Amino acid sequence: MKDKYESVGLNYEIIANKYPNLDEYEEIVNSFLSDPFFKEIGEYLDGEDYALAKDACKGLYLLAQELCLFNLYMWIVEVYEDLEEELYQEAYSHYQEMMSVYDGIRGAFNV
């Protein structure tokens, strides 16, 4: 299990200390990774609805941090900050990076 977590850039020790029941943790992560906002952020960016994209990012980055998905958290924050600063081209580029990390974690957790 440790190898699975580390293969997608997650810190197994931090997660195991915070969530001793890893089966329960993985259920929670799977539910989180099924959140439609991950894909909808891209749709909001395509439709230039930056306020909705920013709101979606805020909810996701708070949960990613709580679940110790720090590499995903950092990319969500990058997108959020780009939107805050009205750097929309950068937001879309960072969104693609975020989705790459998201897809890797999702694949490891078999969502």
Side-chain angles (χ1 to χ4, degrees), residues 20-97:
N21 184 338
L22 290 177
D23 291 330
E24 184 177 291
Y25 170 77
E26 289 196 14
E27 284 183 41
I28 296 167
V29 170
N30 285 334
S31 178
F32 171 66
L33 294 173
S34 297
D35 192 314
F37 277 143
F38 283 104
K39 302 254 192 265
E40 290 173 359
I41 291 170
E43 295 169 14
Y44 297 148
L45 292 173
D46 287 340
E48 298 181 1
D49 194 339
Y50 303 121
L52 280 177
K54 192 165 89 171
D55 288 344
C57 286
K58 190 172 186 177
L60 292 176
Y61 80 65
L62 293 171
L63 288 170
Q65 181 181 32
E66 181 64 27
L67 293 171
C68 303
L69 303 172
F70 299 127
N71 53 352
L72 182 58
Y73 163 81
M74 291 185 334
W75 282 111
I76 299 169
V77 169
E78 283 290 327
V79 175
Y80 180 83
E81 288 176 348
D82 291 339
L83 294 169
E84 272 283 297
E85 297 172 16
E86 299 180 2
L87 301 171
Y88 302 126
Q89 283 300 113
E90 287 86 350
Y92 196 78
S93 175
H94 288 146
Y95 170 74
Q96 292 174 339
E97 293 288 339

